[in-house]
Amino acid sequence: MPATDAPEGGMAGGPLISIIVPCYNEAANVAPLVAMLESVMAGRRWEVIFVDDNSPDGTTETICAQARRKSYVRGICRIGRRGLSSAVIEGVLSSSAQVVAVMDGDLQHDESRLIALIDAVAAGTCDIAVGSRHVEGGSNAGLANAWRHALSDSGIWLAQRFLPVRLTDPMSGFFALRRDTFVAIAPHLSGAGFKILLDLLLSSRKPLTVREIDCGFKPRVAGESKLDAVVMLQFAALLVEKVSRGLVPLRFVAFCAVGLAGIVANLGVMHLVWLCGVHFSTAQAIGTIAAMVVNFSLDNNFTYRDRRLHGRRCVWGLVLFMLVCSVGALADVGVAHLMYAQSYRVNEASLAGAVLAVVWNYAMSSTIVWRTR
Ligand SMILES: Nc1nc2c(ncn2[C@@H]2O[C@H](COP(=O)(O)OP(=O)(O)OP(=O)(O)O)[C@@H](O)[C@H]2O)c(=O)[nH]1
Ligand SMILES: [Mg+2]
């Protein structure tokens, strides 16, 4: 082993604290974050677990380079998967420490508050200690612009309507809790999207005591934000899933939203082709095929983002999806026809057919087209 690979972090017994860091395209931030953690965690039995979704920028290689030299640095690389929340869940489950802390890998969280969060949990003063930018002494000055401020504020306002506890910063990604508390909630977590703290609070079967600790939020120096429209929709869908107590799963909400976009595509393309002088039936068929392609593409990039199909699997997935939707359409027409014949009103018959088709399409898409490997 070369000298530079010599272990630096000799530790008698395993770590008592695991810091879980979800990261995607954060290669430039890994080494500085490790250095900051070394400084604040000095004298403690700790480790950092990076969970990277096979970032193209070489984040995993950077983590490995650190881990080869430092026993307190570990990494998990997930292939064909995406998602902050699910990354955190896997990181926590891979730890055997008593206390776990979660923080971003982009240096925006104020590492100097880490010990306060960990100690609050270790001392048993609360179930979860949350780094808050909205209590006295906290600051969210690092949010990139006015739009991000507005987004964050409205997200907080919305989340607060549904939370079982009072919390000024439910959107925070900087918090600590006992590992066994996390593990007890884990089977009920949605695991989708960005807001793992919110997921924890809304999924826990027993009320959690929360303590907020002021913290700052620094501007991002390297790398780019991954917060996009998809993440915001996932946030709304998470609330729907949790508020309906799992009756309406997050993925189903997304599937229906995509379905609406498909209807728009269907009508748009059909009208365009029809205006070009094509016979109505042919125009309708072309519109339907276009809708299926649009739906498949949106579902692949949004609804089933964590199971996204690529290359040949994507082409095969499209064929399967079209077959599934065709059966759904036949069932739709069949049921509507049957109900109409049994003297149901036109709207009732039509709605029943449409609901059946949506549920069928969703069930088949989840189990056949985007099945978990
Ligand atoms: N493993 C994994 N990590 C992710 C994913 N998306 C984001 N992250 C990480 O989660 C952390 C927070 O993501 P950011 O994009 O910085 O989001 P944010 O801090 O809420 O938003 P900004 O204020 O715009 O930076 C960062 O460390 C990201 O690298 C993902 O799909 N998988
Ligand atoms: Mg960030």
Side-chain angles (χ1 to χ4, degrees), residues 64-358:
C64 287
Q66 290 282 318
R68 274 194 291 273
R69 292 188 296 117
K70 302 171 181 184
S71 61
Y72 45 86
V73 177
R74 289 211 285 132
I76 296 174
C77 179
R78 309 192 304 168
I79 294 179
R81 309 270 307 279
R82 274 300 302 275
L84 191 160
S85 292
S86 61
V88 169
I89 295 171
E90 281 167 47
V92 173
L93 295 180
S94 81
S95 147
S96 48
Q98 290 168 349
V99 175
V100 290
V102 177
M103 77 186 290
D104 287 355
D106 54 4
L107 312 178
Q108 288 193 275
H109 287 144
D110 180 0
E111 72 288 348
S112 70
R113 306 305 283 143
L114 196 52
I115 290 296
L117 292 175
I118 292 166
D119 285 350
V121 173
T125 61
C126 58
D127 292 319
I128 304 192
V130 177
S132 172
R133 300 163 286 187
H134 297 283
V135 288
E136 208 180 326
S139 148
N140 63 357
L143 286 174
N145 47 44
W147 163 242
R148 280 291 287 110
H149 275 273
L151 213 60
S152 173
D153 291 346
S154 39
I156 289 173
W157 181 87
L158 192 62
Q160 280 170 337
R161 306 302 104 193
F162 303 104
L163 274 177
V165 283
R166 257 192 63 78
L167 202 60
T168 64
D169 199 355
M171 313 295 271
S172 175
F174 190 33
F175 57 92
L177 71 169
R178 288 184 61 84
R179 181 185 179 275
D180 50 16
T181 307
F182 191 106
V183 170
I185 307 170
H188 313 296
L189 290 170
S190 142
F194 242 48
K195 298 300 164 194
I196 181 67
L197 173 64
L198 199 61
D199 201 352
L200 280 165
L201 294 167
L202 292 171
S203 304
S204 175
R205 297 293 147 109
K206 75 172 182 73
L208 298 169
T209 51
V210 181
R211 194 170 145 204
E212 292 193 284
I213 289 172
D214 62 284
C215 78
F217 192 69
K218 296 179 268 182
R220 193 184 249 283
V221 180
E224 282 172 11
S225 169
K226 283 94 208 168
L227 195 120
D228 55 17
V230 172
V231 168
M232 289 190 286
L233 285 172
Q234 282 174 330
F235 165 65
L238 172 71
L239 288 179
V240 174
E241 176 181 325
K242 290 299 163 189
V243 169
S244 71
R245 297 195 170 271
L247 212 65
V248 188
L250 189 147
R251 222 187 269 284
F252 185 66
V253 178
F255 194 82
C256 292
V258 165
L260 289 179
I263 294 175
V264 175
N266 190 339
L267 292 177
V269 172
M270 185 273 285
H271 271 282
L272 214 71
V273 177
W274 185 52
L275 285 176
C276 293
V278 176
H279 188 271
F280 174 72
S281 309
T282 315
Q284 175 63 13
I286 294 172
T288 306
I289 292 172
M292 286 186 193
V293 174
V294 168
N295 274 10
F296 175 80
S297 156
L298 288 174
D299 278 327
N300 198 35
N301 287 291
F302 170 37
T303 317
Y304 299 94
R305 193 185 216 193
D306 55 332
R307 307 182 195 168
R308 195 178 293 171
L309 303 172
H310 297 279
R312 275 171 47 192
R313 288 174 57 88
C314 185
V315 177
W316 176 233
L318 176 61
V319 173
L320 271 179
F321 183 76
M322 287 177 131
L323 282 174
V324 161
C325 292
S326 304
V327 175
L330 284 177
D332 177 351
V333 175
V335 166
H337 183 75
L338 217 71
M339 288 184 68
Y340 185 63
Q342 306 235 329
S343 340
Y344 280 89
R345 287 197 200 133
V346 175
N347 285 348
E348 287 168 357
S350 179
L351 184 68
V355 169
L356 180 84
V358 170

